[in-house]
Amino acid sequence: MTSTKDTTSSELLSVVASRELAGKRTVFAGIGLPTLAASLAHLTVAPDLEIVYESGVCGAHPSQLPETIADAVLITGAEAVLSMPALFGNVLQGGHIDVGFLGAAQIDRWGNLNSSVIGDWADPSVRLPGPGGAMEVMANSGEVFVVMRRHDPRSFVDKLDFCTSPGPDRALADGIRPLGAGVTRVITELGILARQGVGEALRLVAVHPGVTADQVRAATGWPLEVAEDLATIEPPAAAELRRLREEVDPGRVYLR
Amino acid sequence: MTSTKDTTSSELLSVVASRELAGKRTVFAGIGLPTLAASLAHLTVAPDLEIVYESGVCGAHPSQLPETIADAVLITGAEAVLSMPALFGNVLQGGHIDVGFLGAAQIDRWGNLNSSVIGDWADPSVRLPGPGGAMEVMANSGEVFVVMRRHDPRSFVDKLDFCTSPGPDRALADGIRPLGAGVTRVITELGILARQGVGEALRLVAVHPGVTADQVRAATGWPLEVAEDLATIEPPAAAELRRLREEVDPGRVYLR
Amino acid sequence: MTDKTTTMAEAIAAFVHDGDTVALEGFTHLIPTAAGHEIIRQGRRDLTVVRMTADIVVDQMLAGGCVRKLVSSFVGNSSAGSLGELRRRIERADPEPLEFEEYSHYGMIGRYLAGAQRLPFYPVRSYAGSDLVSVNPGLRKVRSPYDDGEQVYVVPPVNPDVTIVHAQRADRSGNTQVWGLTGIQAEAVYAAKKAVVVVEEIVDDDVIRRDPNRTLIPSHAVDAVVACPRGTHPSFAQGYYDRDNAFYRGWSAISADPGRLRAWLSEWVFGTRDHPEYVAKLGERYWAGLAVDDALSLPVNYGKRREHAR
Amino acid sequence: MTDKTTTMAEAIAAFVHDGDTVALEGFTHLIPTAAGHEIIRQGRRDLTVVRMTADIVVDQMLAGGCVRKLVSSFVGNSSAGSLGELRRRIERADPEPLEFEEYSHYGMIGRYLAGAQRLPFYPVRSYAGSDLVSVNPGLRKVRSPYDDGEQVYVVPPVNPDVTIVHAQRADRSGNTQVWGLTGIQAEAVYAAKKAVVVVEEIVDDDVIRRDPNRTLIPSHAVDAVVACPRGTHPSFAQGYYDRDNAFYRGWSAISADPGRLRAWLSEWVFGTRDHPEYVAKLGERYWAGLAVDDALSLPVNYGKRREHAR
């Protein structure tokens, strides 16, 4: 029998994120928690879900759990492998991605993301990997989900050190009509922050059992608004955990 | 033994055009005389010549003489088959074509070509096929060769009914720096007209044996300048004709 | 895995409506002729047809009275002659005028690229000095924001209501594989709001997955999959059957005479219930003349991770 | 058919010069590592390296003192950690500063597309509102000349002095076939003034011609062909050998320590005469751990015209 008591942080985040994919058709996901969430959703709430990888793979049927978004096991047996111009131009910018998953070192209340530097760009204290395709995922996906392991004021900041991947509010301020809603869900160990789109800030819409709104406020670097109908997140069900553990990541490669 | 006496018009034009390809590496050719000329040049003066077809075929090794630029026999056994964005974007606009062959209903002294209409575009007396890729061949090839079966004032005109494919002079007048030299050689049954590039009109540089400059002038719809060192074109040699007849088009599909 | 297979009749009924903008692509190879015939059978009207090389199938759709406007870069019967109906419509508004929006090949390619990539325009190096600019207001200039301030022509995106293409094979969900000339089909599909893929054969998922690099159109871009063998005639499908060059050569004479053209439509399009009937009417002996021998590619190794690994 | 085959040492000597702009592409798959090592061995200086994902090979070239400037959209050791030398150069100018020109992936793709197509710029839908715009003057806006007057960011073309890519196979003249992830290699080659293709194997002309759709880079775009089996390590070649994930995971610790990094270079790059020696030094047992089993594609039929025809 699957125990729901010893749920790890990775399991919790994967399960909660998977539920948000209900009914979605295409998801742009990196390796790790996003892939776990998407794979679980495929088995549960989104049977038609297709995972598209930045490397160009569509409709992967991997023989083993992939270690990177370009893992050879994603290619062998896939339904399509596209060039980068086709993937970024036709699929992503063309508007075929319902949900893009992104991570970041910092996020602000508008869902703008920093994955470039801590400190000043020209003389940073920490140089991070930079945009990769995150800017395009943000600009072109219907909406963006962010899964953040760490919910603290260093990551949830009042002001980004650098805005790598801007949400639609910043795009509009730059005079350009955004194509997607930007970040609509931020899933953390404390709860879920959400916003609908342009002009709206992230607010706390749900907490995990035992977590208070004040705790989340304290962990957030801006004055966090809390939904009037603040929900409590249903803990992972035994069926969800069983599929995650036995079908999605039986080797516990990412379910650390 | 190959007789040079009964040389047909197609043979004459193919042989003369083939000589102009000496040392060239890539040629963009349609079916018919351009292919014959390029194939003969490959066997004689341009051993490294590659024919690129508008359909996307590079390095064809056809089992039979192709009937169209998209003939299945060009694909089977080819070295590469490219998509149209790759062919037009990377190969042609990217500057990889040394010589493009074009035909037209009308040509003017600057090597501008009409393949669209006789009469007014909106209400034409004859609707011709239009640009196809001719405009891109003109704009992007290093230089363009035109083989015209008919040399008369209806085809060699003072003013085009419609400029489909403009040479570099018209491009410059439109405020845009041209990438190629435009038409540099026009090969007809009477002789060869030539120009070097921007600012220069076509002038008569060579005639076939027995043809006079006055004859060519009379057949040309603008006051045709004649080179001081007007040459006489060497008639097709027995070896050229033998290769053309026996190796290039043994079925005499285009050598009508 | 959504099963998107349907019949040609159902696909045309569901995805092609009067007044729609319909892209039919396939550059000499894989022309979706059978789809064009079904559009004629179903009596669609006022279509805007987008097709780089407006050739026989367009002439037939014009004669069928389906087309109000044509967007194209080449209007001719390949190198085999003229399109009679098209010329009558353009030269004499006979039996009615035809709106015509004309580009070059790369202009059309750029329009599909912009449409597929949701770009407001696509820049191309040609058009400078062409009279096409004076008859097509869609051709505009943009100045480069970089040092040289160079100007370049741009074309506007095209986003057809539906794009129809023909391919060698697809799986039930629409993962579509094409070889030989691949043309502009993938971009035309991505540019469209809806896409119908017609194929020589629908194959097992495994056939597609054994060679994912051949999938030029992934299922997420496809709305319907129609099996229609020999559906490109008189065009060809590389490795399946050859081009019917005699038909092309014969078309110029048929279409030069409005009476003959209408008789041809009556017999071959209205007189057949669907493409299988058209195929059967041509007869197996006819098709034997277009049959090709095998020239198989060599397999490549995609590799499979060993269980020992890491 | 020009024979362009040469050795890695000769290709680097002939096509990579001090001060050149060198593009090395391959997105996780088919990274031209061996070419990077030979550039280090030959002591090139002041290079501008253009590479979308600046990963281990770039960290090694930085440590080798070859690189003055980096143009990139991702600077990290895949998902396995940091690039120590790159971070020291950027964060502390240690041992010297590194000029850095930063784009997003699609920005880099657009630069290659513009470079390959001789366009003055390439429009992309991203960048609006990003701080990258304030640190990279190459990012500019263009206004659409169509009705909405919409603005869009553009990136400038990149035209490397030389592009080096790795592929599974090519013929002697440079017709290059790639399967699995194909990335941006074709466009990077077309954007360059010169192109070097490194391959797992040089094959008979016939192998290429049996499957022309797999040729992503035709010979007319290639200047040199180098056979260098296992030349992408620790990257992978689909169907030939797997990615060395343990090497990636280990690199972060090696490169975090300048001493260890330099010792690694001494042993594995300067301490080997060429890539075959590097391969031999790893040993057959090591390579056995990266070996893959077969998963062959099914052949497709290109067709052959019958003699009877027409």
Side-chain angles (χ1 to χ4, degrees):
Chain A
M1 216 195 97
T2 302
S3 161
T4 59
K5 276 195 304 194
D6 309 317
T7 306
T8 67
S9 157
S10 298
E11 288 171 344
L12 180 68
L13 292 169
S14 302
V15 168
V16 172
S18 78
R19 295 171 183 163
E20 302 290 329
L21 292 170
K24 303 296 182 187
R25 290 173 310 117
T26 48
V27 56
F28 197 94
I31 292 300
L33 294 183
T35 305
L36 295 183
S39 301
L40 180 57
H42 181 60
L43 297 173
T44 55
V45 294
D48 289 335
L49 194 68
E50 180 194 357
I51 307 178
V52 175
Y53 294 95
E54 193 178 49
S55 56
V57 180
C58 301
H61 298 274
S63 56
Q64 282 108 327
L65 202 71
E67 296 201 34
T68 73
I69 55 161
D71 195 315
V73 301
L74 289 171
I75 286 89
T76 304
E79 294 167 26
V81 177
L82 304 179
S83 72
M84 306 224 78
L87 192 277
F88 276 85
N90 297 345
V91 182
L92 193 46
Q93 194 171 282
H96 287 270
I97 299 299
D98 292 340
V99 178
F101 273 97
L102 289 176
Q106 297 179 330
I107 182 170
D108 72 11
R109 77 193 70 184
W110 308 105
N112 301 307
L113 302 178
N114 172 18
S115 58
S116 295
V117 288
I118 302 302
D120 182 55
W121 184 87
D123 185 20
S125 60
V126 181
R127 175 65 229 194
L128 301 164
M135 197 191 287
E136 282 79 30
V137 173
M138 180 71 93
N140 298 304
S141 301
E143 58 187 314
V144 170
F145 290 180
V146 174
V147 181
M148 298 274 271
R149 284 181 184 273
R150 201 167 63 180
H151 193 145
D152 64 30
R154 284 175 55 204
S155 302
F156 289 75
V157 299
D158 189 50
K159 191 175 169 355
L160 303 175
D161 285 21
F162 187 89
C163 175
T164 312
S165 302
D169 295 280
R170 282 184 65 118
L172 263 184
D174 197 6
I176 290 181
R177 176 174 58 85
L179 296 173
V183 174
T184 57
R185 291 282 180 285
V186 185
I187 296 148
T188 81
E189 286 183 317
L190 298 181
I192 300 175
L193 313 192
R195 60 186 277 288
Q196 305 275 333
V198 171
E200 224 180 285
L202 286 163
R203 54 191 199 130
L204 183 65
V205 297
V207 288
H208 292 291
V211 176
T212 66
D214 280 347
Q215 264 179 283
V216 187
R217 273 205 200 92
T220 304
W222 69 82
L224 180 66
E225 210 187 309
V226 178
E228 276 183 33
D229 53 346
L230 181 68
T232 300
I233 298 167
E234 195 68 36
E240 290 172 317
L241 286 173
R242 191 171 51 242
R243 296 199 112 149
L244 187 63
R245 291 169 183 172
E246 292 170 18
E247 296 177 47
V248 175
D249 187 7
R252 296 195 76 76
V253 176
Y254 299 108
L255 286 176
R256 295 179 296 260
Chain B
M1 215 195 98
T2 302
S3 159
T4 59
K5 276 194 304 191
D6 309 318
T7 306
T8 68
S9 157
S10 297
E11 288 172 345
L12 179 69
L13 291 169
S14 301
V15 167
V16 172
S18 77
R19 296 172 183 163
E20 300 291 329
L21 292 169
K24 304 295 182 186
R25 290 174 310 115
T26 49
V27 57
F28 197 94
I31 292 299
L33 295 183
T35 306
L36 295 183
S39 300
L40 180 57
H42 181 60
L43 296 172
T44 55
V45 293
D48 289 334
L49 194 68
E50 179 194 358
I51 307 179
V52 176
Y53 294 94
E54 194 178 48
S55 56
V57 180
C58 302
H61 298 272
S63 56
Q64 282 108 329
L65 202 70
E67 295 201 33
T68 74
I69 56 161
D71 195 316
V73 302
L74 289 170
I75 285 87
T76 303
E79 294 167 24
V81 178
L82 304 180
S83 72
M84 306 225 76
L87 192 276
F88 276 85
N90 297 345
V91 182
L92 192 46
Q93 193 170 282
H96 287 269
I97 300 298
D98 292 340
V99 178
F101 273 97
L102 289 176
Q106 296 179 329
I107 182 169
D108 73 10
R109 78 193 70 183
W110 308 106
N112 302 307
L113 303 177
N114 173 18
S115 58
S116 296
V117 288
I118 302 301
D120 182 55
W121 183 88
D123 185 19
S125 61
V126 181
R127 175 65 229 193
L128 301 165
M135 198 190 287
E136 282 78 31
V137 172
M138 180 72 93
N140 298 303
S141 300
E143 58 187 314
V144 170
F145 290 1
V146 174
V147 181
M148 299 274 271
R149 283 181 184 271
R150 201 166 64 180
H151 194 146
D152 64 30
R154 284 174 55 204
S155 302
F156 289 73
V157 299
D158 189 49
K159 190 173 166 4
L160 302 176
D161 285 21
F162 186 89
C163 176
T164 312
S165 303
D169 294 280
R170 282 184 65 117
L172 263 184
D174 197 7
I176 290 181
R177 175 174 57 85
L179 296 173
V183 174
T184 57
R185 290 284 180 284
V186 184
I187 296 148
T188 81
E189 286 183 317
L190 299 181
I192 299 175
L193 314 191
R195 61 185 278 287
Q196 303 276 335
V198 172
E200 222 179 289
L202 285 164
R203 53 190 202 133
L204 182 66
V205 297
V207 287
H208 292 291
V211 175
T212 67
D214 280 346
Q215 264 180 280
V216 186
R217 272 203 200 94
T220 303
W222 70 83
L224 180 66
E225 210 186 309
V226 177
E228 278 184 31
D229 54 345
L230 182 67
T232 299
I233 298 168
E234 194 68 37
E240 289 171 318
L241 285 173
R242 192 172 50 242
R243 295 199 112 150
L244 186 63
R245 292 170 182 172
E246 293 171 18
E247 297 177 47
V248 175
D249 187 6
R252 297 194 76 77
V253 176
Y254 300 107
L255 285 177
R256 295 179 297 259
Chain C
M1 167 69 67
T2 311
D3 188 332
K4 298 170 188 159
T5 56
T6 183
T7 64
M8 182 71 88
E10 284 165 2
I12 299 303
F15 294 106
V16 181
H17 313 99
D18 287 356
D20 273 1
T21 295
V22 182
L24 298 164
E25 283 301 348
F27 189 83
T28 309
H29 185 217
L30 296 172
I31 297 173
T33 314
H37 288 180
E38 184 58 25
I39 289 170
I40 297 170
R41 278 191 204 97
Q42 295 194 16
R44 287 294 170 285
R45 290 292 175 270
D46 293 322
L47 300 180
T48 293
V49 169
V50 184
R51 175 158 170 74
M52 286 176 64
T53 51
D55 39 22
I56 289 176
V57 69
V58 170
D59 213 31
Q60 293 169 344
M61 291 172 73
L62 291 171
C66 310
V67 185
R68 184 180 56 80
K69 179 176 177 179
L70 176 64
V71 182
S72 182
S73 45
F74 187 89
V75 292
N77 178 12
S78 179
S79 47
S82 281
L83 302 177
E85 188 73 10
L86 182 135
R87 287 188 55 183
R88 284 187 293 277
R89 292 276 297 265
I90 291 184
E91 294 170 7
R92 295 186 262 135
D94 169 20
E96 54 178 332
L98 176 68
E99 277 185 63
F100 184 32
E101 193 177 321
E102 190 172 16
Y103 294 86
S104 67
H105 277 351
Y106 198 46
M108 291 289 288
I109 292 167
R111 296 198 65 191
Y112 283 124
L113 287 167
Q117 297 171 25
R118 290 200 293 190
L119 287 172
F121 58 80
Y122 199 89
V124 297
R125 276 286 194 185
S126 33
Y127 289 99
S130 173
D131 280 335
L132 260 192
V133 170
S134 64
V135 298
N136 184 341
L139 298 163
R140 310 242 172 120
K141 273 188 218 165
V142 159
R143 189 173 289 280
S144 166
Y146 299 108
D147 295 344
D148 50 10
E150 200 173 1
Q151 293 188 97
V152 67
Y153 272 92
V154 299
V155 293
V158 61
N159 292 108
D161 293 306
V162 61
T163 286
I164 306 175
V165 298
H166 193 107
Q168 277 104 337
R169 67 190 186 194
D171 64 21
R172 295 161 298 148
S173 70
N175 289 298
T176 304
Q177 299 195 329
V178 187
W179 59 97
L181 300 175
T182 58
I184 194 66
Q185 284 95 310
E187 292 76 10
V189 161
Y190 272 104
K193 290 164 198 149
K194 298 287 177 185
V196 175
V197 170
V198 186
V199 291
E200 288 298 315
E201 50 180 339
I202 291 168
V203 294
D204 285 348
D205 300 351
D206 181 59
V207 171
I208 299 296
R209 295 182 192 170
R210 293 279 290 272
D211 203 351
N213 284 105
R214 287 218 202 271
T215 305
L216 296 194
I217 304 170
S219 62
H220 62 237
V222 175
D223 296 280
V225 181
V226 174
C228 184
R230 299 168 172 173
T232 80
H233 180 264
S235 168
F236 68 109
Q238 191 82 34
Y240 287 74
Y241 48 89
D242 216 336
R243 190 172 189 262
D244 189 351
N245 289 321
F247 188 99
Y248 278 86
R249 285 191 292 268
W251 183 256
S252 296
I254 293 171
S255 76
D257 176 346
R260 273 190 75 185
L261 173 46
R262 270 144 194 86
W264 189 92
L265 277 189
S266 291
E267 181 177 357
W268 290 95
V269 180
F270 295 114
T272 55
R273 198 174 41 198
D274 53 18
H275 197 70
E277 269 199 28
Y278 173 100
V279 168
K281 190 171 157 70
L282 281 169
E284 275 312 314
R285 216 176 122 190
Y286 192 92
W287 286 104
L290 300 173
V292 295
D293 289 329
D294 286 353
L296 300 181
S297 68
L298 301 170
V300 300
N301 188 11
Y302 277 91
K304 191 171 153 46
R305 180 163 298 155
R306 292 184 180 170
E307 284 302 329
H308 74 69
R310 275 67 58 85
Chain D
M1 167 68 68
T2 311
D3 188 331
K4 298 170 189 161
T5 57
T6 182
T7 65
M8 182 72 87
E10 282 165 2
I12 299 302
F15 293 106
V16 181
H17 314 100
D18 288 355
D20 272 1
T21 295
V22 181
L24 299 163
E25 282 301 347
F27 189 83
T28 310
H29 184 217
L30 296 173
I31 299 173
T33 314
H37 288 180
E38 184 59 24
I39 289 171
I40 298 171
R41 277 190 205 97
Q42 294 195 16
R44 286 296 169 285
R45 291 291 176 269
D46 293 322
L47 300 181
T48 293
V49 169
V50 184
R51 176 159 168 72
M52 286 177 63
T53 50
D55 39 21
I56 289 175
V57 68
V58 170
D59 213 31
Q60 293 169 345
M61 289 172 73
L62 291 171
C66 309
V67 185
R68 184 179 58 78
K69 179 176 177 178
L70 177 64
V71 182
S72 181
S73 46
F74 187 88
V75 292
N77 177 13
S78 178
S79 47
S82 281
L83 302 176
E85 188 74 9
L86 181 136
R87 287 188 56 184
R88 285 187 292 278
R89 293 275 298 262
I90 291 185
E91 294 170 7
R92 294 188 261 136
D94 168 21
E96 55 179 333
L98 176 68
E99 274 185 66
F100 184 33
E101 192 176 321
E102 190 172 15
Y103 295 86
S104 67
H105 277 351
Y106 199 45
M108 290 289 288
I109 292 166
R111 297 198 65 192
Y112 284 123
L113 287 167
Q117 296 171 26
R118 290 200 292 190
L119 288 171
F121 57 79
Y122 199 89
V124 296
R125 275 287 194 184
S126 34
Y127 288 100
S130 173
D131 280 336
L132 260 192
V133 170
S134 64
V135 298
N136 183 341
L139 298 163
R140 310 242 173 122
K141 274 188 219 168
V142 159
R143 191 174 288 280
S144 166
Y146 299 108
D147 296 344
D148 50 10
E150 198 173 359
Q151 294 186 98
V152 67
Y153 272 92
V154 298
V155 293
V158 61
N159 292 108
D161 293 305
V162 61
T163 286
I164 306 175
V165 298
H166 193 106
Q168 278 104 337
R169 67 190 186 193
D171 65 20
R172 296 161 298 147
S173 70
N175 288 298
T176 304
Q177 300 196 329
V178 187
W179 59 97
L181 299 174
T182 57
I184 193 67
Q185 283 95 310
E187 292 77 11
V189 161
Y190 271 104
K193 290 163 199 151
K194 299 286 178 185
V196 176
V197 170
V198 187
V199 291
E200 289 297 316
E201 49 180 341
I202 292 168
V203 294
D204 284 348
D205 299 351
D206 182 60
V207 172
I208 299 295
R209 295 181 192 171
R210 292 279 290 271
D211 203 352
N213 283 106
R214 287 218 201 273
T215 305
L216 296 194
I217 305 170
S219 62
H220 62 237
V222 174
D223 296 280
V225 181
V226 175
C228 183
R230 298 169 173 172
T232 81
H233 180 264
S235 170
F236 68 109
Q238 190 82 35
Y240 286 74
Y241 49 88
D242 217 334
R243 189 171 189 262
D244 188 349
N245 290 321
F247 188 99
Y248 277 86
R249 284 192 293 268
W251 183 257
S252 297
I254 292 170
S255 77
D257 175 346
R260 273 190 74 186
L261 173 46
R262 271 144 191 84
W264 188 92
L265 278 190
S266 293
E267 180 176 358
W268 290 94
V269 180
F270 294 114
T272 56
R273 197 176 39 198
D274 54 18
H275 197 70
E277 269 200 28
Y278 172 100
V279 168
K281 189 170 158 71
L282 280 169
E284 275 312 313
R285 216 175 124 191
Y286 193 92
W287 287 105
L290 300 173
V292 294
D293 289 329
D294 285 354
L296 300 181
S297 69
L298 302 170
V300 298
N301 188 10
Y302 277 91
K304 190 169 154 46
R305 180 162 299 156
R306 294 183 180 170
E307 282 304 328
H308 74 69
R310 274 68 59 86

